[in-house]
Amino acid sequence: MTGFRARLTLTGQSREEYQGYGWLAVVHPEDQERVRRGWQAARVIKQTYEVEMRVSLPDGGWATTLSRAVPMFDAQGQVREWIGTTTDLSATKRA
């Protein structure tokens, strides 16, 4: 399971809940600060962001995920958007 829609399906968040820093709401409390700081740093240096984190599931459990975001630049070298994936690593971690 990868991609934006897959992350929303995995966590049960709506698109509206995800916007801004809303996506942090489903990140495990012990992971939130590390994840937030890493994302902020990636945005400042405009480089690929990659982080493993635990996210809450609609059933109350937790999944371990690997999220990556790559900046896409415009002609002036400014970030116009970030393209990302989220991969559920739970089965791999259990094995």
Side-chain angles (χ1 to χ4, degrees):
M1 177 181 292
T2 63
F4 176 71
R5 287 190 188 117
R7 181 183 170 96
L8 296 182
T9 300
L10 180 69
T11 64
Q13 276 190 304
S14 68
R15 182 177 289 273
E16 292 75 26
E17 291 170 323
Y18 183 88
Q19 296 302 310
Y21 276 86
W23 58 271
L24 273 172
V26 297
V27 175
H28 193 284
E30 293 176 4
D31 298 345
Q32 281 185 0
E33 185 61 23
R34 173 181 55 82
V35 169
R36 185 188 59 75
R37 277 194 325 266
W39 173 239
Q40 288 176 330
R43 290 179 58 210
V44 168
I45 62 175
K46 301 176 184 176
Q47 291 189 352
T48 299
Y49 173 66
E50 182 174 297
V51 65
E52 190 174 301
M53 68 181 109
R54 295 167 288 177
V55 296
S56 62
L57 302 173
D59 68 5
W62 295 95
T64 300
T65 63
L66 177 65
S67 291
R68 292 184 181 112
V70 178
M72 305 306 294
F73 299 95
D74 63 19
Q76 291 75 40
Q78 299 302 311
V79 176
R80 65 179 162 85
E81 66 180 317
W82 290 80
I83 304 296
T85 64
T86 296
T87 304
D88 185 353
L89 300 176
S90 300
T92 302
K93 291 287 189 176
R94 282 191 298 272

